[in-house]
Amino acid sequence: MTTSPLANLSATRELLDEFGLATKHKFGQNFLIDNHVIERICELAELTGEEYVLEVGPGIGTLTLALVQEAERVVSIEMDSSLEPVLFAHAADHANFTYIMGDALRVPNERIEEAVGGAPTHFISNLPYNVAATIILDFFERMPSLKRAVVMVQKEVADRIAAEPGTKDYGAYTVKLSLYAHVTGRFEVPPRCFMPAPHVDSAVIRLDRLTLGTVPNVMTVGTGVLDGLSNGTVPLGGEGDVDIPAVCRVVDAAFAQRRKTIRNSMSANGFDKQALDAAFEACGIAPTSRAETLSVGDFVRLAEALATTEEGR
């Protein structure tokens, strides 16, 4: 089992005292002090020793010190400059670890790849909860090399990520992330596993990039004939590509006014009513439906039908 020397209360307190540090609420800092959680994260990640791991919000390096035992290379991005001396000490002790100080949403891919020695393949983090959802989607969008993410987030964020159509947690974010990855694992983490204990429940969730960039519940796109089959796929590479930006525009418009029907919400947010009616009919989607009842595949089909309608106008 992979362990971290910092994953306990006494070791965490000693290191904080040694470097004269304290937790900072503005950075969402809650240090992990339960090694069993570290073990489960590493089990879920299934590292083989060949991975280039990207971590965001390493804090004092509790999870980092476990990752360096399992991965080829680890690069961490940390915003709190007061933690740099700790990360510098870890880097001095572990040749396969380096770090970048800055905002993870602003650090360019090129700098990350230079630091890790290649394109990152895995994203494993105990994320700052205030930006966790944004970071996950951003990284899957802009880092096609990422094969897997294993991330600790607030339980409500994990619920949104894993939500099914027709549930209250299912929304635009769920659909957009589902265009890139699907949930393949999850476990809950109670507040007692952190110092200080947060006022929210947490969960670790695993996301695997869709094989060859495929979208669930769609069979073919780009032919004008859409054969929707349960658990089917649509290729994102080659002829008949899914236009992800176009799908996202449809999703945003559909969820913009969640209580309205999909037709009313989308027509109020930039889509022509006649084009919508033609697309709904082509897809077999009732215009009186609400966005939360549509599957990811429905949104892909709708975006394709709208594109076909616009081409024929």
PDB file of all heavy atoms in Angstrom, residues 36-74:
ATOM      1  N   HIS A  36      -5.486   6.264   5.043  1.00  0.00           N
ATOM      2  CA  HIS A  36      -6.373   5.325   4.348  1.00  0.00           C
ATOM      3  C   HIS A  36      -6.971   5.980   3.101  1.00  0.00           C
ATOM      4  O   HIS A  36      -7.143   5.318   2.070  1.00  0.00           O
ATOM      5  CB  HIS A  36      -7.493   4.869   5.284  1.00  0.00           C
ATOM      6  CG  HIS A  36      -8.449   3.898   4.664  1.00  0.00           C
ATOM      7  ND1 HIS A  36      -8.060   2.682   4.143  1.00  0.00           N
ATOM      8  CD2 HIS A  36      -9.805   3.976   4.464  1.00  0.00           C
ATOM      9  CE1 HIS A  36      -9.116   2.053   3.661  1.00  0.00           C
ATOM     10  NE2 HIS A  36     -10.178   2.818   3.826  1.00  0.00           N
ATOM     11  N   VAL A  37      -7.259   7.268   3.187  1.00  0.00           N
ATOM     12  CA  VAL A  37      -7.790   7.997   2.025  1.00  0.00           C
ATOM     13  C   VAL A  37      -6.717   8.070   0.940  1.00  0.00           C
ATOM     14  O   VAL A  37      -7.001   7.890  -0.243  1.00  0.00           O
ATOM     15  CB  VAL A  37      -8.270   9.398   2.428  1.00  0.00           C
ATOM     16  CG1 VAL A  37      -8.733  10.183   1.197  1.00  0.00           C
ATOM     17  CG2 VAL A  37      -9.400   9.309   3.450  1.00  0.00           C
ATOM     18  N   ILE A  38      -5.470   8.327   1.355  1.00  0.00           N
ATOM     19  CA  ILE A  38      -4.355   8.344   0.393  1.00  0.00           C
ATOM     20  C   ILE A  38      -4.252   7.002  -0.325  1.00  0.00           C
ATOM     21  O   ILE A  38      -4.098   6.934  -1.554  1.00  0.00           O
ATOM     22  CB  ILE A  38      -3.029   8.653   1.114  1.00  0.00           C
ATOM     23  CG1 ILE A  38      -3.046  10.057   1.728  1.00  0.00           C
ATOM     24  CG2 ILE A  38      -1.841   8.475   0.156  1.00  0.00           C
ATOM     25  CD1 ILE A  38      -2.943  11.180   0.736  1.00  0.00           C
ATOM     26  N   GLU A  39      -4.339   5.933   0.430  1.00  0.00           N
ATOM     27  CA  GLU A  39      -4.258   4.588  -0.164  1.00  0.00           C
ATOM     28  C   GLU A  39      -5.370   4.368  -1.185  1.00  0.00           C
ATOM     29  O   GLU A  39      -5.128   3.842  -2.275  1.00  0.00           O
ATOM     30  CB  GLU A  39      -4.362   3.528   0.945  1.00  0.00           C
ATOM     31  CG  GLU A  39      -3.150   3.475   1.865  1.00  0.00           C
ATOM     32  CD  GLU A  39      -3.350   2.506   3.015  1.00  0.00           C
ATOM     33  OE1 GLU A  39      -4.508   2.022   3.192  1.00  0.00           O
ATOM     34  OE2 GLU A  39      -2.383   2.222   3.736  1.00  0.00           O
ATOM     35  N   ARG A  40      -6.575   4.788  -0.842  1.00  0.00           N
ATOM     36  CA  ARG A  40      -7.708   4.578  -1.743  1.00  0.00           C
ATOM     37  C   ARG A  40      -7.587   5.427  -3.008  1.00  0.00           C
ATOM     38  O   ARG A  40      -7.978   5.000  -4.098  1.00  0.00           O
ATOM     39  CB  ARG A  40      -9.027   4.863  -1.013  1.00  0.00           C
ATOM     40  CG  ARG A  40      -9.327   3.872   0.098  1.00  0.00           C
ATOM     41  CD  ARG A  40     -10.746   4.010   0.599  1.00  0.00           C
ATOM     42  NE  ARG A  40     -11.726   3.587  -0.414  1.00  0.00           N
ATOM     43  CZ  ARG A  40     -13.049   3.671  -0.241  1.00  0.00           C
ATOM     44  NH1 ARG A  40     -13.546   4.189   0.878  1.00  0.00           N
ATOM     45  NH2 ARG A  40     -13.877   3.269  -1.186  1.00  0.00           N
ATOM     46  N   ILE A  41      -7.063   6.649  -2.865  1.00  0.00           N
ATOM     47  CA  ILE A  41      -6.839   7.494  -4.040  1.00  0.00           C
ATOM     48  C   ILE A  41      -5.856   6.812  -4.987  1.00  0.00           C
ATOM     49  O   ILE A  41      -6.078   6.754  -6.199  1.00  0.00           O
ATOM     50  CB  ILE A  41      -6.320   8.887  -3.625  1.00  0.00           C
ATOM     51  CG1 ILE A  41      -7.423   9.685  -2.932  1.00  0.00           C
ATOM     52  CG2 ILE A  41      -5.798   9.660  -4.836  1.00  0.00           C
ATOM     53  CD1 ILE A  41      -6.958  10.997  -2.343  1.00  0.00           C
ATOM     54  N   CYS A  42      -4.770   6.301  -4.437  1.00  0.00           N
ATOM     55  CA  CYS A  42      -3.755   5.640  -5.271  1.00  0.00           C
ATOM     56  C   CYS A  42      -4.294   4.368  -5.898  1.00  0.00           C
ATOM     57  O   CYS A  42      -3.977   4.057  -7.057  1.00  0.00           O
ATOM     58  CB  CYS A  42      -2.506   5.356  -4.434  1.00  0.00           C
ATOM     59  SG  CYS A  42      -1.590   6.853  -3.956  1.00  0.00           S
ATOM     60  N   GLU A  43      -5.107   3.624  -5.163  1.00  0.00           N
ATOM     61  CA  GLU A  43      -5.733   2.423  -5.728  1.00  0.00           C
ATOM     62  C   GLU A  43      -6.635   2.790  -6.898  1.00  0.00           C
ATOM     63  O   GLU A  43      -6.627   2.132  -7.942  1.00  0.00           O
ATOM     64  CB  GLU A  43      -6.542   1.699  -4.648  1.00  0.00           C
ATOM     65  CG  GLU A  43      -5.694   0.976  -3.611  1.00  0.00           C
ATOM     66  CD  GLU A  43      -6.550   0.372  -2.508  1.00  0.00           C
ATOM     67  OE1 GLU A  43      -7.804   0.458  -2.614  1.00  0.00           O
ATOM     68  OE2 GLU A  43      -5.989  -0.155  -1.538  1.00  0.00           O
ATOM     69  N   LEU A  44      -7.421   3.857  -6.718  1.00  0.00           N
ATOM     70  CA  LEU A  44      -8.354   4.276  -7.762  1.00  0.00           C
ATOM     71  C   LEU A  44      -7.610   4.784  -8.994  1.00  0.00           C
ATOM     72  O   LEU A  44      -8.049   4.586 -10.128  1.00  0.00           O
ATOM     73  CB  LEU A  44      -9.264   5.370  -7.204  1.00  0.00           C
ATOM     74  CG  LEU A  44     -10.638   5.576  -7.860  1.00  0.00           C
ATOM     75  CD1 LEU A  44     -11.451   4.285  -7.841  1.00  0.00           C
ATOM     76  CD2 LEU A  44     -11.395   6.701  -7.146  1.00  0.00           C
ATOM     77  N   ALA A  45      -6.464   5.424  -8.772  1.00  0.00           N
ATOM     78  CA  ALA A  45      -5.685   5.969  -9.887  1.00  0.00           C
ATOM     79  C   ALA A  45      -5.015   4.883 -10.717  1.00  0.00           C
ATOM     80  O   ALA A  45      -4.745   5.079 -11.900  1.00  0.00           O
ATOM     81  CB  ALA A  45      -4.632   6.937  -9.356  1.00  0.00           C
ATOM     82  N   GLU A  46      -4.702   3.751 -10.110  1.00  0.00           N
ATOM     83  CA  GLU A  46      -4.082   2.611 -10.805  1.00  0.00           C
ATOM     84  C   GLU A  46      -2.815   3.029 -11.556  1.00  0.00           C
ATOM     85  O   GLU A  46      -2.643   2.729 -12.738  1.00  0.00           O
ATOM     86  CB  GLU A  46      -5.075   1.954 -11.774  1.00  0.00           C
ATOM     87  CG  GLU A  46      -6.241   1.283 -11.088  1.00  0.00           C
ATOM     88  CD  GLU A  46      -7.137   0.525 -12.052  1.00  0.00           C
ATOM     89  OE1 GLU A  46      -7.707   1.154 -12.974  1.00  0.00           O
ATOM     90  OE2 GLU A  46      -7.264  -0.715 -11.885  1.00  0.00           O
ATOM     91  N   LEU A  47      -1.917   3.685 -10.861  1.00  0.00           N
ATOM     92  CA  LEU A  47      -0.658   4.109 -11.473  1.00  0.00           C
ATOM     93  C   LEU A  47       0.275   2.918 -11.648  1.00  0.00           C
ATOM     94  O   LEU A  47       0.344   2.031 -10.798  1.00  0.00           O
ATOM     95  CB  LEU A  47       0.007   5.182 -10.603  1.00  0.00           C
ATOM     96  CG  LEU A  47      -0.795   6.465 -10.402  1.00  0.00           C
ATOM     97  CD1 LEU A  47      -0.064   7.421  -9.456  1.00  0.00           C
ATOM     98  CD2 LEU A  47      -1.086   7.157 -11.729  1.00  0.00           C
ATOM     99  N   THR A  48       1.011   2.927 -12.743  1.00  0.00           N
ATOM    100  CA  THR A  48       1.914   1.815 -13.060  1.00  0.00           C
ATOM    101  C   THR A  48       3.385   2.200 -12.993  1.00  0.00           C
ATOM    102  O   THR A  48       4.254   1.366 -13.185  1.00  0.00           O
ATOM    103  CB  THR A  48       1.625   1.295 -14.477  1.00  0.00           C
ATOM    104  OG1 THR A  48       1.935   2.323 -15.432  1.00  0.00           O
ATOM    105  CG2 THR A  48       0.165   0.896 -14.630  1.00  0.00           C
ATOM    106  N   GLY A  49       3.668   3.483 -12.747  1.00  0.00           N
ATOM    107  CA  GLY A  49       5.046   3.939 -12.705  1.00  0.00           C
ATOM    108  C   GLY A  49       5.505   4.617 -13.977  1.00  0.00           C
ATOM    109  O   GLY A  49       6.646   5.075 -14.067  1.00  0.00           O
ATOM    110  N   GLU A  50       4.627   4.703 -14.967  1.00  0.00           N
ATOM    111  CA  GLU A  50       4.980   5.328 -16.242  1.00  0.00           C
ATOM    112  C   GLU A  50       4.251   6.659 -16.473  1.00  0.00           C
ATOM    113  O   GLU A  50       4.464   7.308 -17.491  1.00  0.00           O
ATOM    114  CB  GLU A  50       4.642   4.375 -17.393  1.00  0.00           C
ATOM    115  CG  GLU A  50       5.402   3.057 -17.326  1.00  0.00           C
ATOM    116  CD  GLU A  50       5.039   2.122 -18.461  1.00  0.00           C
ATOM    117  OE1 GLU A  50       4.085   2.443 -19.222  1.00  0.00           O
ATOM    118  OE2 GLU A  50       5.701   1.082 -18.608  1.00  0.00           O
ATOM    119  N   GLU A  51       3.425   7.065 -15.535  1.00  0.00           N
ATOM    120  CA  GLU A  51       2.557   8.219 -15.744  1.00  0.00           C
ATOM    121  C   GLU A  51       3.250   9.549 -15.444  1.00  0.00           C
ATOM    122  O   GLU A  51       4.139   9.629 -14.592  1.00  0.00           O
ATOM    123  CB  GLU A  51       1.300   8.107 -14.859  1.00  0.00           C
ATOM    124  CG  GLU A  51       0.416   6.922 -15.176  1.00  0.00           C
ATOM    125  CD  GLU A  51       0.897   5.627 -14.553  1.00  0.00           C
ATOM    126  OE1 GLU A  51       1.871   5.660 -13.756  1.00  0.00           O
ATOM    127  OE2 GLU A  51       0.302   4.572 -14.853  1.00  0.00           O
ATOM    128  N   TYR A  52       2.816  10.574 -16.161  1.00  0.00           N
ATOM    129  CA  TYR A  52       3.173  11.963 -15.863  1.00  0.00           C
ATOM    130  C   TYR A  52       1.958  12.573 -15.176  1.00  0.00           C
ATOM    131  O   TYR A  52       0.929  12.818 -15.810  1.00  0.00           O
ATOM    132  CB  TYR A  52       3.504  12.726 -17.139  1.00  0.00           C
ATOM    133  CG  TYR A  52       4.834  12.370 -17.767  1.00  0.00           C
ATOM    134  CD1 TYR A  52       5.631  11.342 -17.265  1.00  0.00           C
ATOM    135  CD2 TYR A  52       5.304  13.072 -18.859  1.00  0.00           C
ATOM    136  CE1 TYR A  52       6.850  11.020 -17.836  1.00  0.00           C
ATOM    137  CE2 TYR A  52       6.532  12.767 -19.449  1.00  0.00           C
ATOM    138  CZ  TYR A  52       7.290  11.733 -18.936  1.00  0.00           C
ATOM    139  OH  TYR A  52       8.502  11.413 -19.505  1.00  0.00           O
ATOM    140  N   VAL A  53       2.080  12.803 -13.876  1.00  0.00           N
ATOM    141  CA  VAL A  53       0.945  13.226 -13.063  1.00  0.00           C
ATOM    142  C   VAL A  53       0.967  14.735 -12.839  1.00  0.00           C
ATOM    143  O   VAL A  53       1.995  15.314 -12.496  1.00  0.00           O
ATOM    144  CB  VAL A  53       0.950  12.499 -11.704  1.00  0.00           C
ATOM    145  CG1 VAL A  53      -0.130  13.069 -10.784  1.00  0.00           C
ATOM    146  CG2 VAL A  53       0.727  11.004 -11.905  1.00  0.00           C
ATOM    147  N   LEU A  54      -0.200  15.334 -13.007  1.00  0.00           N
ATOM    148  CA  LEU A  54      -0.410  16.751 -12.715  1.00  0.00           C
ATOM    149  C   LEU A  54      -1.270  16.843 -11.461  1.00  0.00           C
ATOM    150  O   LEU A  54      -2.320  16.195 -11.366  1.00  0.00           O
ATOM    151  CB  LEU A  54      -1.096  17.434 -13.902  1.00  0.00           C
ATOM    152  CG  LEU A  54      -1.559  18.883 -13.724  1.00  0.00           C
ATOM    153  CD1 LEU A  54      -0.391  19.795 -13.380  1.00  0.00           C
ATOM    154  CD2 LEU A  54      -2.271  19.365 -14.990  1.00  0.00           C
ATOM    155  N   GLU A  55      -0.822  17.652 -10.512  1.00  0.00           N
ATOM    156  CA  GLU A  55      -1.554  17.855  -9.258  1.00  0.00           C
ATOM    157  C   GLU A  55      -1.799  19.350  -9.087  1.00  0.00           C
ATOM    158  O   GLU A  55      -0.933  20.164  -9.395  1.00  0.00           O
ATOM    159  CB  GLU A  55      -0.736  17.314  -8.071  1.00  0.00           C
ATOM    160  CG  GLU A  55      -1.430  17.478  -6.721  1.00  0.00           C
ATOM    161  CD  GLU A  55      -0.533  17.122  -5.542  1.00  0.00           C
ATOM    162  OE1 GLU A  55       0.719  17.164  -5.696  1.00  0.00           O
ATOM    163  OE2 GLU A  55      -1.068  16.828  -4.465  1.00  0.00           O
ATOM    164  N   VAL A  56      -2.964  19.699  -8.587  1.00  0.00           N
ATOM    165  CA  VAL A  56      -3.294  21.100  -8.299  1.00  0.00           C
ATOM    166  C   VAL A  56      -3.623  21.226  -6.822  1.00  0.00           C
ATOM    167  O   VAL A  56      -4.380  20.416  -6.278  1.00  0.00           O
ATOM    168  CB  VAL A  56      -4.484  21.591  -9.154  1.00  0.00           C
ATOM    169  CG1 VAL A  56      -4.967  22.961  -8.686  1.00  0.00           C
ATOM    170  CG2 VAL A  56      -4.099  21.647 -10.629  1.00  0.00           C
ATOM    171  N   GLY A  57      -3.058  22.242  -6.176  1.00  0.00           N
ATOM    172  CA  GLY A  57      -3.305  22.460  -4.759  1.00  0.00           C
ATOM    173  C   GLY A  57      -2.649  21.430  -3.874  1.00  0.00           C
ATOM    174  O   GLY A  57      -3.315  20.812  -3.028  1.00  0.00           O
ATOM    175  N   PRO A  58      -1.337  21.217  -4.010  1.00  0.00           N
ATOM    176  CA  PRO A  58      -0.667  20.191  -3.195  1.00  0.00           C
ATOM    177  C   PRO A  58      -0.605  20.527  -1.719  1.00  0.00           C
ATOM    178  O   PRO A  58      -0.389  19.632  -0.895  1.00  0.00           O
ATOM    179  CB  PRO A  58       0.741  20.133  -3.805  1.00  0.00           C
ATOM    180  CG  PRO A  58       0.958  21.513  -4.378  1.00  0.00           C
ATOM    181  CD  PRO A  58      -0.396  21.912  -4.908  1.00  0.00           C
ATOM    182  N   GLY A  59      -0.753  21.810  -1.376  1.00  0.00           N
ATOM    183  CA  GLY A  59      -0.645  22.197   0.026  1.00  0.00           C
ATOM    184  C   GLY A  59       0.742  21.920   0.557  1.00  0.00           C
ATOM    185  O   GLY A  59       1.743  22.375  -0.001  1.00  0.00           O
ATOM    186  N   ILE A  60       0.820  21.132   1.613  1.00  0.00           N
ATOM    187  CA  ILE A  60       2.130  20.789   2.188  1.00  0.00           C
ATOM    188  C   ILE A  60       2.703  19.520   1.557  1.00  0.00           C
ATOM    189  O   ILE A  60       3.771  19.058   1.962  1.00  0.00           O
ATOM    190  CB  ILE A  60       2.049  20.628   3.716  1.00  0.00           C
ATOM    191  CG1 ILE A  60       1.056  19.518   4.094  1.00  0.00           C
ATOM    192  CG2 ILE A  60       1.670  21.965   4.374  1.00  0.00           C
ATOM    193  CD1 ILE A  60       1.033  19.192   5.584  1.00  0.00           C
ATOM    194  N   GLY A  61       1.969  18.944   0.591  1.00  0.00           N
ATOM    195  CA  GLY A  61       2.509  17.800  -0.137  1.00  0.00           C
ATOM    196  C   GLY A  61       2.110  16.442   0.392  1.00  0.00           C
ATOM    197  O   GLY A  61       2.783  15.446   0.109  1.00  0.00           O
ATOM    198  N   THR A  62       1.005  16.370   1.124  1.00  0.00           N
ATOM    199  CA  THR A  62       0.588  15.093   1.704  1.00  0.00           C
ATOM    200  C   THR A  62       0.324  14.043   0.620  1.00  0.00           C
ATOM    201  O   THR A  62       0.875  12.938   0.660  1.00  0.00           O
ATOM    202  CB  THR A  62      -0.670  15.280   2.570  1.00  0.00           C
ATOM    203  OG1 THR A  62      -0.425  16.304   3.538  1.00  0.00           O
ATOM    204  CG2 THR A  62      -1.044  13.978   3.273  1.00  0.00           C
ATOM    205  N   LEU A  63      -0.513  14.386  -0.345  1.00  0.00           N
ATOM    206  CA  LEU A  63      -0.781  13.473  -1.450  1.00  0.00           C
ATOM    207  C   LEU A  63       0.429  13.378  -2.378  1.00  0.00           C
ATOM    208  O   LEU A  63       0.740  12.301  -2.905  1.00  0.00           O
ATOM    209  CB  LEU A  63      -2.016  13.940  -2.227  1.00  0.00           C
ATOM    210  CG  LEU A  63      -2.412  13.133  -3.473  1.00  0.00           C
ATOM    211  CD1 LEU A  63      -2.657  11.665  -3.130  1.00  0.00           C
ATOM    212  CD2 LEU A  63      -3.645  13.744  -4.134  1.00  0.00           C
ATOM    213  N   THR A  64       1.124  14.458  -2.550  1.00  0.00           N
ATOM    214  CA  THR A  64       2.298  14.504  -3.431  1.00  0.00           C
ATOM    215  C   THR A  64       3.312  13.429  -3.063  1.00  0.00           C
ATOM    216  O   THR A  64       3.856  12.742  -3.938  1.00  0.00           O
ATOM    217  CB  THR A  64       2.976  15.879  -3.347  1.00  0.00           C
ATOM    218  OG1 THR A  64       1.996  16.905  -3.436  1.00  0.00           O
ATOM    219  CG2 THR A  64       4.014  16.046  -4.428  1.00  0.00           C
ATOM    220  N   LEU A  65       3.577  13.290  -1.776  1.00  0.00           N
ATOM    221  CA  LEU A  65       4.595  12.347  -1.324  1.00  0.00           C
ATOM    222  C   LEU A  65       4.191  10.894  -1.554  1.00  0.00           C
ATOM    223  O   LEU A  65       5.057  10.010  -1.562  1.00  0.00           O
ATOM    224  CB  LEU A  65       4.915  12.586   0.155  1.00  0.00           C
ATOM    225  CG  LEU A  65       5.600  13.923   0.465  1.00  0.00           C
ATOM    226  CD1 LEU A  65       5.918  14.038   1.948  1.00  0.00           C
ATOM    227  CD2 LEU A  65       6.872  14.095  -0.365  1.00  0.00           C
ATOM    228  N   ALA A  66       2.900  10.656  -1.743  1.00  0.00           N
ATOM    229  CA  ALA A  66       2.458   9.316  -2.150  1.00  0.00           C
ATOM    230  C   ALA A  66       2.584   9.155  -3.657  1.00  0.00           C
ATOM    231  O   ALA A  66       3.025   8.114  -4.148  1.00  0.00           O
ATOM    232  CB  ALA A  66       1.014   9.092  -1.710  1.00  0.00           C
ATOM    233  N   LEU A  67       2.249  10.206  -4.399  1.00  0.00           N
ATOM    234  CA  LEU A  67       2.279  10.124  -5.862  1.00  0.00           C
ATOM    235  C   LEU A  67       3.683   9.917  -6.399  1.00  0.00           C
ATOM    236  O   LEU A  67       3.882   9.195  -7.389  1.00  0.00           O
ATOM    237  CB  LEU A  67       1.663  11.391  -6.467  1.00  0.00           C
ATOM    238  CG  LEU A  67       0.177  11.620  -6.192  1.00  0.00           C
ATOM    239  CD1 LEU A  67      -0.266  12.965  -6.768  1.00  0.00           C
ATOM    240  CD2 LEU A  67      -0.670  10.488  -6.763  1.00  0.00           C
ATOM    241  N   VAL A  68       4.680  10.540  -5.763  1.00  0.00           N
ATOM    242  CA  VAL A  68       6.049  10.401  -6.280  1.00  0.00           C
ATOM    243  C   VAL A  68       6.564   8.967  -6.143  1.00  0.00           C
ATOM    244  O   VAL A  68       7.509   8.587  -6.837  1.00  0.00           O
ATOM    245  CB  VAL A  68       7.021  11.382  -5.574  1.00  0.00           C
ATOM    246  CG1 VAL A  68       6.675  12.814  -5.897  1.00  0.00           C
ATOM    247  CG2 VAL A  68       7.059  11.147  -4.071  1.00  0.00           C
ATOM    248  N   GLN A  69       5.927   8.182  -5.280  1.00  0.00           N
ATOM    249  CA  GLN A  69       6.310   6.774  -5.145  1.00  0.00           C
ATOM    250  C   GLN A  69       5.735   5.914  -6.272  1.00  0.00           C
ATOM    251  O   GLN A  69       6.239   4.826  -6.541  1.00  0.00           O
ATOM    252  CB  GLN A  69       5.803   6.226  -3.807  1.00  0.00           C
ATOM    253  CG  GLN A  69       6.316   6.944  -2.581  1.00  0.00           C
ATOM    254  CD  GLN A  69       5.641   6.437  -1.315  1.00  0.00           C
ATOM    255  OE1 GLN A  69       5.542   5.223  -1.083  1.00  0.00           O
ATOM    256  NE2 GLN A  69       5.158   7.346  -0.492  1.00  0.00           N
ATOM    257  N   GLU A  70       4.690   6.416  -6.925  1.00  0.00           N
ATOM    258  CA  GLU A  70       3.940   5.593  -7.872  1.00  0.00           C
ATOM    259  C   GLU A  70       4.102   6.021  -9.325  1.00  0.00           C
ATOM    260  O   GLU A  70       3.875   5.206 -10.235  1.00  0.00           O
ATOM    261  CB  GLU A  70       2.441   5.640  -7.512  1.00  0.00           C
ATOM    262  CG  GLU A  70       2.104   5.102  -6.129  1.00  0.00           C
ATOM    263  CD  GLU A  70       2.237   3.589  -6.057  1.00  0.00           C
ATOM    264  OE1 GLU A  70       2.026   2.932  -7.086  1.00  0.00           O
ATOM    265  OE2 GLU A  70       2.576   3.080  -4.977  1.00  0.00           O
ATOM    266  N   ALA A  71       4.442   7.290  -9.579  1.00  0.00           N
ATOM    267  CA  ALA A  71       4.438   7.824 -10.948  1.00  0.00           C
ATOM    268  C   ALA A  71       5.852   8.076 -11.455  1.00  0.00           C
ATOM    269  O   ALA A  71       6.811   8.204 -10.680  1.00  0.00           O
ATOM    270  CB  ALA A  71       3.633   9.118 -10.996  1.00  0.00           C
ATOM    271  N   GLU A  72       5.972   8.169 -12.777  1.00  0.00           N
ATOM    272  CA  GLU A  72       7.247   8.513 -13.394  1.00  0.00           C
ATOM    273  C   GLU A  72       7.661   9.931 -13.032  1.00  0.00           C
ATOM    274  O   GLU A  72       8.799  10.191 -12.653  1.00  0.00           O
ATOM    275  CB  GLU A  72       7.119   8.375 -14.923  1.00  0.00           C
ATOM    276  CG  GLU A  72       8.340   8.842 -15.706  1.00  0.00           C
ATOM    277  CD  GLU A  72       9.514   7.879 -15.597  1.00  0.00           C
ATOM    278  OE1 GLU A  72       9.299   6.704 -15.228  1.00  0.00           O
ATOM    279  OE2 GLU A  72      10.655   8.305 -15.886  1.00  0.00           O
ATOM    280  N   ARG A  73       6.712  10.867 -13.171  1.00  0.00           N
ATOM    281  CA  ARG A  73       6.966  12.271 -12.861  1.00  0.00           C
ATOM    282  C   ARG A  73       5.711  12.880 -12.246  1.00  0.00           C
ATOM    283  O   ARG A  73       4.589  12.492 -12.580  1.00  0.00           O
ATOM    284  CB  ARG A  73       7.324  13.059 -14.126  1.00  0.00           C
ATOM    285  CG  ARG A  73       8.632  12.678 -14.766  1.00  0.00           C
ATOM    286  CD  ARG A  73       9.822  13.321 -14.071  1.00  0.00           C
ATOM    287  NE  ARG A  73       9.781  14.776 -14.163  1.00  0.00           N
ATOM    288  CZ  ARG A  73      10.568  15.607 -13.449  1.00  0.00           C
ATOM    289  NH1 ARG A  73      11.422  15.105 -12.588  1.00  0.00           N
ATOM    290  NH2 ARG A  73      10.485  16.904 -13.601  1.00  0.00           N
ATOM    291  N   VAL A  74       5.902  13.842 -11.352  1.00  0.00           N
ATOM    292  CA  VAL A  74       4.795  14.574 -10.739  1.00  0.00           C
ATOM    293  C   VAL A  74       5.114  16.062 -10.781  1.00  0.00           C
ATOM    294  O   VAL A  74       6.209  16.478 -10.385  1.00  0.00           O
ATOM    295  CB  VAL A  74       4.560  14.150  -9.264  1.00  0.00           C
ATOM    296  CG1 VAL A  74       3.419  14.977  -8.650  1.00  0.00           C
ATOM    297  CG2 VAL A  74       4.272  12.656  -9.169  1.00  0.00           C
TER     298      VAL A  74
END
